[in-house]
Structures are given as C-alpha cells and as structure tokens.
Amino acid sequence: MTSNSYFPAGWQRAVLPTLLLTQLENGPAHGYAIAKALAAGGFDPPKGAALYPALAKLEASGAVSTTWEEGQGGPGRKVYELTPAGREQLARQLRLFADFAKLVVGEN
C-alpha cells in the first residue's frame, strides 16, 4: 500500500503514541475521530490494527482513561481522555522530540 501522506509511514508509526496524546490534548475522542483528525492534519489515518493497540498501551500506562459512550441508534464506543499523567508524558515526549530534531538537523 502506498502512502499519500507527506510524512514517511515509518516516521508516523514511530511517533503514533505522541500523535495520539497530542490529539487527546484537544479533548476526549473515540478512535475513529482521532484517526480522522490525524488524516485532516496530513498524516495517514492509522489502521485499527495499529491505532487500538497503541491506545490500549496508553490506557495501561495511565496516560489515557476511557469511558463507554452509549450509541444513539448504533453501537456504543469507547471514548479516550488524556489524564494528568498523560499530559506530563506528552510534555516530556515533545521535549525529547525537539531535542532529537535538533540532533537530526545538526543543531546543538
């Protein structure tokens, strides 16, 4: 499968947890809404086989919490929300990513 994204697929896979936390910083969302928001931002929408395990790992680590939203005329869905620990994790990851980017471009 080819990517229509500006960013290489490998990069997107590597930063998926950070991308998910960044999306959840905007407020609670279900998986499909997160995938759509990433696509709207220029990323390839993550497939469910990557998205939901990554969200489950974030939940297991305490970075996100979940609630169940009853469906209106359809199935219910899990809603993910950033926790205080998730906000700290996101801030730490963004700092590390900025440091990494400086090394890649040769800035000290």
Side-chain angles (χ1 to χ4, degrees):
M1 178 164 115
T2 61
S3 169
N4 294 325
S5 169
Y6 178 74
F7 304 103
W11 292 6
Q12 292 180 74
R13 280 190 302 275
V15 298
L16 181 59
T18 303
L19 292 172
L20 297 174
L21 293 174
T22 300
Q23 286 301 311
L24 291 172
E25 193 173 36
N26 297 323
H30 53 84
Y32 181 72
I34 294 169
K36 283 186 68 168
L38 289 174
F43 296 97
D44 287 334
K47 301 219 179 301
L51 176 66
Y52 293 104
L55 285 166
K57 286 180 184 178
L58 290 171
E59 181 181 6
S61 75
V64 301
S65 62
T66 60
T67 56
W68 186 256
E69 182 179 90
E70 292 296 327
Q72 297 177 10
R77 56 190 173 188
K78 194 181 261 193
V79 176
Y80 301 88
E81 184 170 5
L82 196 59
T83 65
R87 289 185 193 287
E88 290 175 17
Q89 181 178 338
L90 176 59
R92 184 173 52 255
Q93 288 177 355
L94 292 176
R95 282 192 307 272
L96 288 170
F97 190 82
D99 291 345
F100 179 75
K102 287 179 187 177
L103 289 172
V104 170
V105 299
E107 294 179 14
N108 292 335

